[in-house]
Each structure stands twice: as C-alpha cells, then as structure tokens.
Amino acid sequence: MSQTRILRRAILFALAIVALAFLALLTMDLGRFGDVVEDFVSARTDFRVEFRGDLSARLGGELRVTATDVHLWRDGVERELATVGDLELVLDTWMLLGGGIHVRDVRLEKSAFVLVRRDKPATEGGALAIDKAEVADLALTFGVGSINGERTIRIDSLEFQGAASAPVSLNVAGSFEGQAISASITENLPASGRLPDSSAFTAYAAFPDARFDANGTIRRRGESLVAGFDFEFVGPDMREFVGRFGPRKVPSGDFRFSGDASIGDAAVTVNAAEGHVGPLTGTASGRIDLRGLDVSGRVTGPDAAAFMKTWVNLF
C-alpha cells in the first residue's frame, strides 16, 4: 500500500472521529455538567447561578434547556435576584457563538425577580431577539432599599409572540397593590391571513389610575421587527399614580401625554412627546435600551424646577 493511500485513509479516519465526536456532543444531555455551567457563568459575568433541582440541556442548531429550582445572584448584592421554579429555554446556538442572544422560546412558572438599581451602566452586549415567551405566576419586586419600601407587581399570565414569521401579539394579566393590571398588543392582519411586510396594530396597557393606548405600524425587515406608533397616556391624578411606584412629590392633577415613538433593535425611542400634569406643560424625547435611559425635555409652569428634580430622582 502506498504512503499516499495510507495518509488519505488516516485523514478520513480522523475526520470520521471528529464527526462522531461532534454528533455525540449534539445528542448528549449536558445537564450532568451543571457545575461547569455555574462556574462558566460566574467566571464571565458578575452573576452567580445555582441549579438546585433538575437540569437538562441538549446542544444542536438550538440549545434546549429545562431546569427546576434555579437561583440567581449578582456580585456585591446580598439579595437574591431571581428564583425560577420551572424553566424551559430554547436558544439559537449559532447566534450565541456570534455574541448575540436569540430566544426562540422561553417558559417560566412560579418565579420571582428583584430589580436592583445598578451603580454603573450596563456594558453594551450583542443583539437580543425574543420570538416567544410564556410566563405564569411571576412576582416582580422593585424599590429595594428605597425610602418608600419595596413594591411587588404580580403577573398571573403573560404570552408574547414576537417572531417576524408570525403575527405579533402580547397578552398580560396581573395585579399591583390588589388592583388589576392588563396589557395587550394585536396585529391587524388582512383577510387572507398572510403576513405582509407592513401591517397596522393596536395596543393598550391598563394600570390602577392610568391607561396607555397606541396605534401604529409593524414593519418586517428580514428576521427583525420595527414598530412605529402614536400613543396617549392619561389618568385622573399624577400624584396618586406615581405614589404607587415611588415618592409622591409630584404635582396633583389630571395628566395626559401623547406623541410618537418606535421600537426596534432592543430599544424604545420616543421621538417627540408633549403633555400636561395639572397646570404644568412640557415636551420630551428619549431612548431606553439595555444600557439605560437617555431622556431630554422641557417643562413650563409653576414649580417646574421642583417637578423636573423629582422625576430625575425617580430614575
């Protein structure tokens, strides 16, 4: 047998071994490496995760993870930030390798999250996209360490569909301080049921003492969605509404804000807004994304300076 033939067979044998190893990795249940996952997260982020219940993970074109009794902490914060009773998560493996996060499906049950204000802004990360989410029995606590004490929003159910290949929808039902809250987004499709490149949608969110309504257009750009809309936010008394979430040092009186905004690339941008709170009138614009909040505006009327100072302190 010639050396060339021997070398060729050796190369083919090596490639076969690599292919078998890769196939074994794709079909292997990675749940047995829970300790490795915990150490990996701790080494590369300022978070610590602990899997106290069952853990199963399979790797392929999608990374599928199921787990029970999951706990999350952040370095420098004594308070446990999250507990998840039951978790099902499906991620796009190739986008993970590229530094982004594409959540194809996530389901949470019997969970609790605590929002803690960051001492420094979040670092800019890769792209984030969520196709589908289902949440049941979630407690969301905020105001930790504030002089006003902690408050908790309870989400009984949340269903979200945001993939570009399906109609956009959101339905939320829950409560805050014993009063019902709800939200909904509905995409208005043509009679044919086909997904057009552009379509109209309506949305609302109902809180105790306030309501948000929006009408706009959803545009599909490949695998991503961009929404532009006009909105209106109204209520009978700003002091009562804000007092549920934080300090009551804001003017009392009816309020109404309206304007146009857009959502896309994991950010909300308010292009222009105007409105009033009692005798005060003002305009504003800003952007909210994963890195934080950037807002500018102008307020006129009695005690306008004190009003602006209060809202700056809120954020």
Side-chain angles (χ1 to χ4, degrees):
M1 183 180 299
S2 67
Q3 291 184 350
T4 302
R5 182 173 296 180
I6 293 175
L7 179 60
R8 184 182 302 166
R9 290 187 177 183
I11 293 175
L12 291 175
F13 179 75
L15 290 175
I17 293 297
V18 171
L20 288 173
F22 184 69
L23 181 61
L25 178 63
L26 294 183
T27 57
M28 181 185 300
D29 185 353
L30 303 178
R32 69 188 68 181
F33 303 111
D35 293 340
V36 176
V37 175
E38 294 174 2
D39 293 340
F40 179 87
V41 172
S42 298
R44 288 163 176 77
T45 71
D46 58 353
F47 290 96
R48 293 181 292 115
V49 63
E50 181 179 341
F51 300 98
R52 296 181 182 176
D54 298 328
L55 172 64
S56 176
R58 293 190 178 277
L59 180 63
E62 296 177 338
L63 173 60
R64 294 180 173 270
V65 179
T66 59
T68 60
D69 200 9
V70 183
H71 297 255
L72 183 71
W73 294 264
R74 195 174 77 200
D75 293 342
V77 179
E78 296 183 1
R79 182 74 173 267
E80 188 175 46
L81 295 186
T83 61
V84 179
D86 295 286
L87 167 68
E88 295 182 22
L89 179 64
V90 181
L91 300 174
D92 186 316
T93 304
W94 310 118
M95 192 164 178
L96 273 177
L97 295 175
I101 299 177
H102 184 176
V103 180
R104 295 193 179 277
D105 195 356
V106 59
R107 300 179 185 181
L108 302 174
E109 291 188 15
K110 299 182 289 294
S111 305
F113 290 82
V114 178
L115 301 180
V116 178
R117 186 171 183 173
R118 297 183 65 95
D119 296 327
K120 57 183 179 179
T123 57
E124 184 174 0
L128 171 66
I130 301 176
D131 288 350
K132 185 179 180 181
E134 294 183 19
V135 177
D137 192 9
L138 167 67
L140 184 63
T141 300
F142 62 95
V144 176
S146 71
I147 60 175
N148 301 285
E150 297 179 8
R151 313 288 176 90
T152 299
I153 296 175
R154 303 205 65 89
I155 302 298
D156 299 322
S157 64
L158 181 153
E159 296 179 354
F160 171 72
Q161 168 61 56
S165 59
V168 174
S169 65
L170 171 70
N171 290 285
V172 181
S175 62
F176 180 57
E177 294 192 334
Q179 297 194 42
I181 60 174
S182 60
S184 174
I185 297 176
T186 303
E187 183 176 3
N188 304 316
L189 297 178
S192 65
R194 294 179 56 208
L195 286 175
D197 295 334
S198 178
S199 61
F201 78 95
T202 58
Y204 83 87
F207 310 95
D209 304 321
R211 181 180 173 95
F212 175 90
D213 288 279
N215 295 275
T217 302
I218 294 175
R219 295 183 298 277
R220 289 174 167 79
R221 300 187 310 192
E223 292 296 319
S224 64
L225 297 172
V226 176
F229 56 93
D230 296 325
F231 67 88
E232 184 177 64
F233 183 45
V234 299
D237 194 318
M238 175 61 80
R239 182 173 297 174
E240 288 298 318
F241 175 72
V242 173
R244 297 180 181 276
F245 300 91
R248 295 177 178 268
K249 297 179 181 180
V250 298
S252 179
D254 68 304
F255 62 92
R256 176 184 179 275
F257 300 97
S258 61
D260 69 275
S262 62
I263 299 176
D265 300 324
V268 178
T269 302
V270 178
N271 302 311
E274 62 180 11
H276 75 268
V277 178
L280 295 172
T281 61
T283 61
S285 62
R287 176 184 172 91
I288 304 172
D289 59 23
L290 298 177
R291 291 169 292 178
L293 175 70
D294 182 14
V295 176
S296 62
R298 178 177 59 87
V299 175
T300 59
D303 298 324
F307 176 74
M308 289 295 290
K309 182 178 179 180
T310 297
W311 278 93
V312 169
N313 290 336
L314 279 177
F315 295 102

